[in-house]
Amino acid sequence: MSTTPPSIALIGAHTTEFSSQLEKAGSRIVTYGSAAELKAASATHDAIALDGEDHGLVDPTHIASLLDAGSVLISSSPGAEFLETLHRVTNTPIDLPAFRPTKERPLMVYKVQEMVHVITPPRSKTNREITGKKVGPDGRISDLPQHAYTVKTPPVDGAYIVQRVRAARERITSPQMKAVATNAGEVYNLDPGNDVAFFKKGVWHRSESAAIDTLAWTRDGHIQKRTSDPNEQQTYNTDWAMAIYAYATDFDPRGQTGDTYDGTIYTYIVHDGQHQRAGDGPVRWCGPNTAAPGSSECAFYFADQIKYSFSDPSGLMTKLTHQPDDNVYEHTKNTFTYNISQSQTMTLFRANKKQTWQFKAQYDKPVAWTSFQLHRDMLNQSDMGFFISYNDYYDIYSDPEFQTDKWWNPGVFDLGKNPHAVRVLPKDNVPIAGLTVFRSTVGKPRVKSELEFVPRAYKSDAWRTDSDESKFTHPYISTTPQAMQSVDTAETLDPEVAATLRSLDSLGDTTEELSQADIDEGIRATQELKAWQDKSLRDLQDLQTTLLSEPDKGWTCQELADFIKRSAPFDGDDGFIVQQTRAVAKECLESIRSMIDNEATRSPRFLREVISTVLTSHLKPLFLANPHPRVNLDSGRKLYEHDGSRPSYQDYLDDQKWKTDGKGCWNTLAWCVTQLQVDDFEALWPMLIPPMMTIMDDHDAGFRIRGIRIAKELIRKVDPRLLKRTGIDSLLSSLIVIVNLPDVFQRIPNSGHYPARLLLSSFAYRAYYYPG
């Protein structure tokens, strides 16, 4: 990489600290007051950093000239017009305005031989836990205590910017470099050239670093020591490039929708890059006698699992192929060799948008991993994932929990040496490769990329440390920290939001294994429930960190609704919610409400929009399978006996999805009701009443009480005439009388159904005699 100091032009409200960071990292700084000053100077810069609004940089010709001259455009908190113009000029399939760049997460764009490259710096998850395995002299494997540690991403500061600019300039200026990297034996014919319409291309870079701030063992024999010294922190660098090619075939897509378009949109995504340990980092071998690789008693960290995946949360794209095939490979010594081969003839349009022609898209590439084997993640038809797993001294894919003796007997240990040593492990230089092809119609899919890696550390029995208990005289130890590095998205999802939401999305997996009877009887000591509770707490703490770190970010309605969807279920007194989780959930909801109120100063109905999104996207699907037999789903009005569309009570009580798939959804509904204002209820009535009545009229007394609590709050707030007009007043009255039973008093003495009954009577009276 070139050592020539890069020239960086600053436009906008850059801080003195940021300028100093750039200079300290080896760049030359030139400051301009506006884009007009930059243009008048006629100077060429390696990068132009725009901060805050547009500063006049909205002329398509000017932006195109900067990119053509080889400048890297860096934008943080820019104006919408700049992003829209940049998107039109680059003609990339990546929706640049949707990234919403900030100072902490700037957007970087440059061009190499007509190929636009986009860099987005995602964030890492932090505060993970590690579990260890130790082996006794009898070969028995047991767990070590868990220890907290963090995997952190260095800040996006001046040093980060200079590093990325240098890498971009290397690609832009080197004659031997291509717009997209190719390797020996690779056939890369995916670009139909310039005489084509309805075609877009671009490269999305995931360029990032992650540092582990914990030493697995120190030279003086201590386990899991935190360090703030960067010279002691193990650092991993990842450069994952996704070259995206989008083709509209067969028919002109202009003016068409997903329902009317008769053609097909094909999206090819070529994955390329490297995941590797920083070359200037600290040594990974240590012990009381030597730090020589292959002779020392300890080694850390070694990444034995890397996962990279790409998905379409919107479900608009259907996966056609996902290569290489993990079942087709050659295994020679410790090398696994695969092949990618894809060709397709398409009918494309010429640039005049009238004539058509045949284009053969072709991509072939041999792929090899030394000491690593490929496994594919075939989740569904709209996403894909690759697992690159270590398979040499041991096979991590076959024994992910280290339950067999393969990893230690002899596994990673050289028992022929005295003292016993850790064998030489790979250098953490793992290539990224793959091809995914999607098919879709006209639309705007949301895409998400995810990167994970799992580093390990090993210590032989020859070195006694404070991790060794006296009863084990010959322990071997493998710590297994699971580091989810980052998630990033394009289109409508924010990168960090996706990281948090992906983790929280998995909460439903465990709840489906727990019966409602278990929860109601208070069986909290089961392993499944305890594991789920612990994970729920960690995920909510991650969400809380996200909310507190960027309170003024300007989250979208959908993003805030997703936050509510995942935190409100824990804002209740159910047996599956532990006290600490409830406290964190409440704090998250308070932060969310504060963000909504801030946005409401510009959009008065923003609260209603967010609550409406929660009700329609989360709650409504849960209750559709079990509509209340006396409530109209479309209007929220009471259905009467003569209405032939009424479902039966038997259908209503069968397969209650809202219980099995929506643990805590009643708490979410309760939170929504408490947040609404009087004039919000009528607009949201069809979304509020059906689920509330379903919960109130459940055969389980506990759920009936939960429903009454929600009704109590609704009755306190709503205009009584709305209750009367929709017939819900009489329906509520009958249900509250029905649950006035001794078993309810015994089960939940302080249920609050008396106040609800009295409030209902009061409001019914007002509804009948309300003046005017």
Side-chain angles (χ1 to χ4, degrees), residues 7-14 28-45 47-51 55 62 66:
S7 171
I8 301 180
L10 302 182
I11 305 176
H14 295 280
R28 295 177 289 110
I29 304 301
V30 181
T31 301
Y32 297 96
S34 65
E37 288 186 16
L38 172 67
K39 188 174 183 179
S42 299
T44 301
H45 299 281
I48 291 95
L50 183 70
D51 185 20
H55 299 285
H62 189 192
L66 294 174

Side-chain angles (χ1 to χ4, degrees), residues 77-247:
S77 303
E81 188 175 358
F82 166 77
L83 290 175
E84 292 290 349
T85 306
L86 180 63
H87 185 63
R88 291 195 304 272
V89 168
T90 56
N91 195 38
T92 173
I94 305 166
D95 190 352
L96 300 182
F99 279 110
R100 296 189 303 152
T102 64
K103 291 179 182 293
E104 294 77 19
R105 305 193 65 258
L107 177 67
M108 306 178 69
V109 179
Y110 63 96
K111 190 163 68 171
V112 180
Q113 299 178 5
E114 303 304 319
M115 191 71 160
V116 174
H117 291 242
V118 178
I119 302 176
T120 57
R123 290 179 174 170
S124 294
K125 298 270 295 186
T126 59
N127 299 323
R128 312 304 293 171
E129 290 184 343
I130 58 175
T131 57
K133 300 286 183 181
K134 66 165 54 180
V135 182
D138 57 356
R140 177 171 160 265
I141 300 175
S142 61
D143 288 338
L144 283 171
Q146 291 186 333
H147 301 269
Y149 86 108
T150 56
V151 175
K152 64 180 183 179
T153 298
V156 181
D157 54 13
Y160 174 93
I161 295 296
V162 171
Q163 182 184 24
R164 297 299 181 262
V165 169
R166 288 184 186 276
R169 288 295 301 165
E170 185 76 12
R171 180 169 292 279
I172 294 170
T173 58
S174 298
Q176 70 275 18
M177 299 290 281
K178 297 184 178 180
V180 178
T182 56
N183 300 298
E186 185 173 1
V187 177
Y188 206 129
N189 184 39
L190 297 177
D191 192 337
N194 296 324
D195 188 15
V196 62
F198 316 128
F199 164 74
K200 292 186 176 183
K201 62 182 179 181
V203 180
W204 182 14
H205 285 270
R206 295 287 307 278
S207 298
E208 55 196 275
S209 300
I212 302 177
D213 71 350
T214 306
L215 301 177
W217 286 275
T218 62
R219 294 190 183 280
D220 53 0
H222 296 298
I223 186 174
Q224 298 308 122
K225 178 185 176 182
R226 291 288 181 88
T227 176
S228 58
D229 185 354
N231 294 318
E232 294 182 337
Q233 295 178 353
Q234 299 288 334
T235 300
Y236 293 85
N237 295 322
T238 303
D239 183 18
W240 174 17
M242 289 163 278
I244 305 173
Y245 301 82
Y247 316 82

Side-chain angles (χ1 to χ4, degrees), residues 512-525:
E512 293 177 4
E513 301 171 5
L514 305 174
S515 68
Q516 187 61 45
D518 287 339
I519 295 174
D520 286 345
E521 294 299 325
I523 303 177
R524 305 172 189 167

Side-chain angles (χ1 to χ4, degrees), residues 19 95 100 122 142 265 270-271 491 497 558 592 618 683 717 728 747 760:
S19 300
D95 190 352
R100 296 189 303 152
S142 61
I265 309 294
V270 178
H271 307 271
E491 298 298 342
V497 179
Q558 182 64 57
I592 293 167
H618 173 46
K717 287 186 168 186
I728 298 301
R747 186 163 189 164
L760 181 62

Side-chain angles (χ1 to χ4, degrees), residues 4 10 19 37 83 254 276 301 341 407 412 427 450 465 484 542 722 767:
T4 303
L10 302 182
S19 300
E37 288 186 16
L83 290 175
R254 290 177 295 176
Q276 57 189 335
Y301 285 100
S341 182
W407 65 274
V412 299
K427 296 182 179 181
E450 176 189 350
T465 71
M484 185 173 88
D542 288 342
L722 181 58

